[in-house]
């Protein structure tokens, strides 16, 4: 098992978790709030999209989110509530699908050089080499994917499909 | 950047988030439930420890969990609620440290046997010990799995903070 296969496997698991989380939901379901200072699904999906863009930019691919989007969903940004300005969840899903497709195709190419130096002009730069940058960002992404599980359960309860 | 470095980066990130999530919490807070079919913190911590112990088993270094403990936290195990049998929170926190130290220390020792076959003599089910073909495949599958469960801890930590503030 090569490094690119390890990245592909983790990335596919993340994307599968993302797709399972919003299946059957509408925009209003994405701004439901859990107790405390957790973020809603809309913020988590947007945050993942911003950091996926940082992976795409590092490998020289086109990005999807504007600078305004990055401010809205980046590190330290404000929570998103029902009456906050935010991207429609349909748009976020398209961005995440698009970014996944490009990254997955890049990882499937042979002879990738993960020792390439990570470019300097990135929204977030998590390692000196592309391999290190991707490892950090994939783990960061996976943790946020995990946050979606409870948010999906919350939305199911609201829809009358939950068990509590 | 090689494969062991990637696994080490992911485990280290996971461990940092786990220790942040459990800080200041007691056993009772580990049993608080979010709306819907989510698992409580006690179950998530036990699940992470069980799957880490399965990785340690395949690597062939010291394991920390008994059959009784792992049976409570495996795939498809029953939810843990206030009146369920479960492992004490402090023991679960200790297991996070022990299993992390084992896995991280091994990864940082520049191991040469990453491609070796997994065990065929597991005495009882422990995570995915003995399931995947090779140690590297086992780690690749389970590091991402672990990160997703680590992500579940953040909302549970917030829930515990709300509960403590209400007291």
């Amino acid at each position: 098992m090569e490094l690119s296969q390890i990245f592909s496997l983790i990335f596919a698991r993340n994307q599968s978790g993302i797709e399972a989380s919003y299946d059957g939901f509408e925009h209003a379901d994405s701004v439901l709030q859990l107790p405390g200072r957790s973020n809603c699904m809309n913020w988590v999906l947007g945050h993942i999209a911003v950091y996926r863009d940082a992976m795409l930019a590092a490998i020289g691919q086109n990005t999807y989110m504007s600078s305004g989007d990055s401010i809205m969903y980046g590190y330290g940004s404000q929570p998103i509530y029902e009456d906050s300005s935010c991207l429609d969840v349909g748009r976020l899903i398209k961005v995440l699908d698009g970014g996944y497709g490009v990254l997955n195709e890049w990882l499937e190419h042979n002879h990738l050089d993960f020792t390439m130096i990570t470019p300097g002009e990135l929204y977030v730069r998590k390692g000196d080499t592309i391999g290190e940058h991707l490892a950090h960002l994939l783990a960061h992404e996976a943790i946020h994917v995990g946050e979606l599980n409870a948010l999906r359960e919350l939305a199911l309860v609201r829809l009358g499909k939950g068990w509590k | 950047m090689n494969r062991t470095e990637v696994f080490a980066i992911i485990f280290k990130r996971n461990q940092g988030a786990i220790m942040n999530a459990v800080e200041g919490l007691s056993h009772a807070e580990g049993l608080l439930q979010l709306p819907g079919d989510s698992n409580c913190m006690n179950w998530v911590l036990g699940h992470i420890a069980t799957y880490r112990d399965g990785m340690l088993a395949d690597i062939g270094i010291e394991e920390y969990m008994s059959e009784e403990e792992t049976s409570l936290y495996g795939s498809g195990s029953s939810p843990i609620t206030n009146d369920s049998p479960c492992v004490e929170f402090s023991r679960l926190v200790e297991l996070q440290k022990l299993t992390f130290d084992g896995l991280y220390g091994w990864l940082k020792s520049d191991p040469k046997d990453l491609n070796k076959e997994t065990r065929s003599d597991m005495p009882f089910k422990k995570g995915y010990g003995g399931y995947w073909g090779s140690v590297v495949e086992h780690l690749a599958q389970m590091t991402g799995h672990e990160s997703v469960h680590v992500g579940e801890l953040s909302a549970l930590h917030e829930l515990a903070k709300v509960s403590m503030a209400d007291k």
Side-chain angles (χ1 to χ4, degrees):
Chain A
M1 180 173 259
E2 302 300 322
L3 199 48
S4 60
Q5 293 173 297
I6 294 169
F7 285 140
S8 285
L9 198 156
I10 297 170
F11 205 29
R13 184 187 286 275
N14 288 354
Q15 182 65 16
S16 172
I18 291 167
E19 290 174 8
S21 73
Y22 62 70
D23 186 36
F25 292 164
E26 298 175 348
H27 182 77
D29 302 312
S30 78
V31 290
L32 295 172
Q33 311 288 323
L34 284 166
R37 295 181 62 195
S38 294
N39 284 296
C40 68
M41 185 179 285
N42 188 290
W43 188 91
V44 175
L45 292 174
H47 187 71
I48 292 171
V50 168
Y51 280 72
R52 271 202 183 163
D53 264 9
M55 291 190 253
L56 291 167
I59 59 171
Q61 300 291 323
N62 291 330
T63 57
Y64 291 84
M65 302 286 272
S66 68
S67 57
D69 297 338
S70 297
I71 292 168
M72 197 183 303
Y73 292 104
Y75 177 77
S77 59
Q78 293 297 310
I80 287 176
Y81 300 110
E82 205 168 336
D83 54 356
S84 305
S85 61
C86 64
L87 294 182
D88 187 86
V89 75
R91 161 77 179 148
L92 291 173
I93 290 164
K94 278 186 187 167
V95 165
L96 291 166
D97 285 349
Y100 175 69
V102 173
L103 281 161
N104 196 44
E105 189 179 336
W106 184 82
L107 286 167
E108 284 180 355
H109 285 153
N110 292 322
H111 313 302
L112 296 177
D113 181 6
F114 291 105
T115 64
M116 285 188 307
I117 300 300
T118 311
E121 301 298 318
L122 296 175
Y123 172 75
V124 60
R125 186 178 188 273
K126 284 292 182 179
D128 290 337
T129 65
I130 290 293
E132 195 179 350
H133 181 69
L134 291 181
H136 275 287
L137 291 185
L138 275 176
H140 165 268
E141 176 175 297
I143 289 175
H144 283 293
V145 170
E147 294 174 346
L148 296 171
N149 294 343
L151 291 161
R152 176 171 178 77
E153 291 300 321
L154 177 68
L156 287 172
V157 169
R158 180 175 179 264
L159 293 168
K161 297 176 182 174
W163 64 278
K164 266 188 236 169
Chain B
M1 166 69 44
N2 60 37
R3 296 175 299 175
T4 55
E5 288 173 299
V6 169
F7 295 137
I9 284 171
I10 297 173
F11 276 124
K12 192 173 180 185
R13 287 188 75 99
N14 289 350
Q15 184 68 8
I18 291 169
M19 298 320 291
N20 283 337
V22 301
E23 189 179 351
L25 305 191
S26 68
H27 183 78
E29 281 122 22
L31 298 172
L32 294 171
Q33 311 285 327
L34 285 165
D37 198 9
S38 294
N39 283 296
C40 67
M41 188 176 284
N42 186 293
W43 188 90
V44 175
L45 292 174
H47 189 70
I48 290 170
T50 296
Y51 282 73
R52 281 186 177 178
D53 226 36
M55 290 184 252
L56 293 170
D58 270 345
I59 290 167
I61 55 180
E62 186 173 2
E63 303 162 52
Y64 298 96
M65 293 183 75
S66 67
E67 182 173 11
E68 186 183 3
E69 288 175 330
T70 56
S71 67
L72 295 169
Y73 298 102
S75 172
S77 59
S78 297
I80 286 177
T81 55
N82 274 334
D83 49 3
S84 306
C86 65
V87 175
E88 184 66 28
F89 190 76
S90 58
R91 163 76 176 150
L92 292 172
V93 173
E94 180 191 31
L95 283 168
Q96 308 303 311
K97 294 173 184 166
L98 291 169
T99 53
F100 172 74
D101 287 347
L103 286 165
Y104 193 73
W106 180 75
L107 288 166
K108 292 305 243 182
S109 71
D110 193 22
K112 305 298 181 200
D113 48 357
L114 206 56
N115 293 317
K116 77 172 181 177
E117 289 184 8
T118 55
R119 281 174 59 171
S120 58
D121 61 344
M122 287 294 293
F124 57 89
K125 185 170 170 54
K126 183 182 279 186
Y128 275 112
Y131 179 83
W132 302 104
S134 64
V135 167
V136 66
E137 192 179 355
H138 188 167
L139 294 179
Q141 293 283 354
M142 289 298 104
T143 46
H145 163 266
E146 175 175 302
S147 298
V148 171
H149 283 295
V150 170
E152 294 173 341
L153 295 172
S154 63
L156 291 161
H157 182 77
E158 288 299 317
L159 177 68
K161 280 165 58 180
V162 169
S163 170
M164 289 189 287
D166 287 345
K167 285 178 182 169

